[in-house]
Amino acid sequence: GGSDAAKRRAGEAAADTVEPGMVVGLGTGSTAAYAIEALGDAVDDGLDIVGVPTSFGARQRAIDCGIPLCSLDEIDGIDIVIDGADQFVRDTGSCIKGGGAAHSREKLVASAAETVHLVVDETKLTDALDHPVPLEVLPDAHTVVADAVRSLGGEPTLRDAANKDGPVVTDNGNLVCDVDFGTISDPASIATHLSAVTGVVEHGLFVECATTVSVGQADGVSTTTY
Ligand code: DER
């Protein structure tokens, strides 16, 4: 969803904030991809940065764009991570991530980042989160986790792969379960409960995690800092 022009404007606006010498978390998905491309162009023009990819896909994109890379355990923290979202609440900076099945490493990189700059097109904006929440789950645990999330009021669906028989398998070798909670009035409470479910590696509720958001429209971009 969302127009490519709007996604491009958001991604390029975030890339423009990157300073020489920064360590940059590289997000996953089609909106963050525009930021990666813009950073690649800036590196070609002499910008000195190091990227930390949040997924295999982001790593491949960064390699193709010529961005020097390193892993999280080679650096002392991240200056800025630029990443997308499936749904975003502008008032609070909370969002749901995981559409690209990369939310575990995305959340890890975000947790180590000084600035979390989310990039979305306006179709992602909502007043209240009501998008299904992706869970990365240990393969053996998916039926047990399904039962546990039902008792939390969620409706779980194991995420089927598109170009492969069977379920999606993450970069970490786990499965993804999308849980529909309807409208989520208290994201922090659901996040706490999901984190406590045995077998859940990570959930896609990012509660008040954005420090900055760039919202792309067809004819412009607006950036908010929290
Ligand atoms: O998986 C993620 O969290 C991604 O950021 C993703 O959900 C956003 O993807 P998009 O920018 O292609 O909509």
Side-chain angles (χ1 to χ4, degrees), residues 1 7 27-33 83-87 96-103 106 118-121 124 134 159 204 206:
K7 291 184 174 186
T28 297
S30 61
T31 312
D83 206 346
D86 298 312
Q87 204 174 48
I96 290 174
K97 289 173 61 51
H103 59 284
E106 289 173 329
L118 294 189
V119 288
V120 296
D121 65 271
K124 305 293 184 60
R159 189 182 295 182
F206 285 53

Side-chain angles (χ1 to χ4, degrees), residues 15 18 24 26 35-44 47 49 67 82:
V18 173
V24 185
L26 303 175
I36 292 175
E37 279 172 38
L39 288 171
D41 293 344
V43 166
D44 291 346
L47 179 66
I49 58 170
I67 299 173
I82 300 173

Side-chain angles (χ1 to χ4, degrees), residues 152-175:
L152 292 176
E155 183 52 45
T157 304
L158 189 64
R159 189 182 295 182
D160 285 329
N163 301 316
K164 156 192 179 291
D165 192 28
V168 164
V169 178
T170 70
D171 294 352
N172 311 310
N174 296 313
L175 305 183

Side-chain angles (χ1 to χ4, degrees), residues 39-223:
L39 288 171
D41 293 344
V43 166
D44 291 346
D45 294 344
L47 179 66
D48 166 32
I49 58 170
V50 172
V52 179
T54 57
S55 65
F56 186 90
R59 181 175 182 276
Q60 289 303 307
R61 210 163 278 133
I63 289 171
D64 294 346
C65 292
I67 299 173
L69 298 177
C70 71
S71 57
L72 202 50
D73 56 6
E74 293 175 278
I75 37 113
D76 300 328
I78 292 176
D79 296 296
I80 177 173
V81 58
I82 300 173
D83 206 346
D86 298 312
Q87 204 174 48
F88 186 85
V89 180
R90 187 134 61 174
D91 286 358
T92 61
S94 294
C95 67
I96 290 174
K97 289 173 61 51
H103 59 284
S104 296
R105 197 143 55 128
E106 289 173 329
K107 193 179 280 189
L108 177 60
V109 169
S111 70
E114 188 67 35
T115 296
V116 178
H117 194 141
L118 294 189
V119 288
V120 296
D121 65 271
E122 51 195 352
T123 66
K124 305 293 184 60
L125 297 182
T126 184
D127 293 334
L129 295 172
D130 60 4
H131 187 284
V133 179
L135 309 180
E136 179 163 359
V137 301
L138 296 176
D140 291 355
H142 77 93
T143 51
V144 172
V145 167
D147 290 343
V149 300
R150 282 193 194 93
S151 66
L152 292 176
E155 183 52 45
T157 304
L158 189 64
R159 189 182 295 182
D160 285 329
N163 301 316
K164 156 192 179 291
D165 192 28
V168 164
V169 178
T170 70
D171 294 352
N172 311 310
N174 296 313
L175 305 183
V176 177
C177 179
D178 292 296
V179 186
D180 187 350
F181 287 100
T183 300
I184 298 173
S185 53
D186 185 352
S189 169
I190 292 202
T192 303
H193 284 95
L194 289 173
S195 297
V197 174
T198 306
V200 173
V201 172
E202 190 54 82
H203 60 78
L205 275 172
F206 285 53
V207 180
E208 298 178 10
C209 107
T211 62
T212 314
V213 64
S214 289
V215 180
Q217 289 112 353
D219 56 356
V221 57
S222 71
T223 297

